[in-house]
Amino acid sequence: FRLEKDVSDEVFEVYKSQFDYPKTDLKVQVNKLESPDKKYQIEKFEMPTPYKSVEKIYGYIITSERFLDMSKPIIEFPSAAAIFNNKLNVDENMIKEKKYLLDEGYSIIIPVYHNTWGRKKIIRDWWPNETEEYKNTIIKIGKDFKRIIDFLETRNNLDFKKLSYYGYSWGSVTSNILLAIEKRVKSAVICVGGLMLQKSRKEIESHLYIRRIKIPILHIAGKLDGIFEFEESFLPWNELVGTPE
């Protein structure tokens, strides 16, 4: 990665424009679901995709009843389990897992992006490659991400200026692109991850995107990680990411 050349800002703007879409009405539907713990509210949202598809974007917002009037939003991106499994369970265990954040006044937004959970699977693993299918999958995921943030921006009970991101594993490496194409996210926590060593098409190469990320990031990495190796994956990420020291 240290030998890879950057592109000009003008060229990068062309790359980033792949994730643009017409700003049409959201046409979002929001319904409250029965929560297994009455101290917390679960809402399901659903809306058309910003690209041609018979599918819809959908997802969930979990909020403590104590903070329904105003909470700080965290948008998540899943691990690769979302590729290998077809059902997302928003249940008591999920609430317990996120309780430490919910009780501090955060809302957790759990989207079902293109190629995850119950949506159609185009790619069957999370390793980058140089195919058109992989590139188009990443672009649709990016458009879903931005469209969901369009929706979050309309919510009067979210402190939108404090929008943050959480990603683990696949959610960590996908943040390399998502945090570069969406300036409305103000901070991020990512666990494991770094730069993937497999090549993709140049117009979606992560090392070109992370140079344009400027927000504060807490990145938790393992020196003995067998997939995201510390020397080859994390350290180049840490050197190239555009966030000021």
Side-chain angles (χ1 to χ4, degrees), residues 52-230:
K52 188 175 181 180
S53 176
V54 297
E55 292 188 313
K56 289 190 175 182
I57 306 170
Y58 65 96
Y60 304 87
I61 302 174
I62 308 176
T63 310
S64 167
E65 290 282 344
R66 290 171 52 207
F67 297 100
L68 291 181
D69 291 339
M70 184 59 63
S71 59
K72 294 167 285 189
I74 301 173
I75 185 169
E76 293 195 346
F77 195 94
S79 71
I83 299 177
F84 308 134
N85 294 282
N86 294 327
K87 188 175 181 183
L88 172 62
N89 293 315
V90 182
D91 55 14
E92 186 176 6
N93 290 330
M94 180 176 285
I95 289 176
K96 283 181 180 178
E97 179 187 313
K98 304 183 187 303
K99 187 177 187 297
Y100 73 102
L101 292 168
L102 296 168
D103 290 352
E104 292 290 338
Y106 292 94
S107 278
I108 311 299
I109 294 90
I110 308 168
V112 177
Y113 302 95
H114 173 69
N115 207 88
T116 67
W117 302 117
R119 294 180 63 183
K120 185 179 180 182
K121 309 293 173 60
I122 304 299
I123 59 171
R124 290 291 176 172
D125 62 58
W126 57 294
W127 303 101
N129 61 59
E130 297 180 86
T131 66
E132 194 75 13
E133 288 79 11
Y134 178 78
K135 183 186 86 167
N136 289 337
T137 296
I138 295 300
I139 290 172
K140 287 181 178 178
I141 285 171
K143 288 182 177 182
D144 283 357
F145 181 70
K146 292 175 66 174
R147 195 58 166 161
I148 293 161
I149 292 175
D150 291 345
F151 161 57
L152 298 180
E153 195 169 16
T154 68
R155 301 268 299 196
N156 294 327
N157 64 341
L158 293 178
D159 190 351
F160 185 74
K161 291 182 179 178
K162 294 182 179 177
L163 175 64
S164 56
Y165 175 98
Y166 172 75
Y168 173 81
S169 190
W170 187 41
S172 177
V173 294
T174 307
S175 78
N176 293 339
I177 289 177
L178 298 183
L179 297 180
I181 65 171
E182 181 49 82
K183 301 302 183 186
R184 291 173 290 180
V185 177
K186 300 305 180 184
S187 61
V189 174
I190 54 178
C191 297
V192 307
L195 283 165
M196 302 287 279
L197 301 180
Q198 299 78 17
K199 284 191 174 184
S200 55
R201 302 284 275 270
K202 186 170 183 178
E203 59 268 31
I204 57 162
E205 270 287 4
S206 290
H207 73 85
L208 298 174
Y209 284 76
I210 64 168
R211 301 167 198 259
R212 273 84 185 176
I213 296 172
K214 305 296 183 184
I215 62 172
I217 299 173
L218 172 63
H219 190 169
I220 300 173
K223 285 190 174 180
L224 302 180
D225 194 315
I227 295 176
F228 305 103
E229 294 188 355
F230 189 74

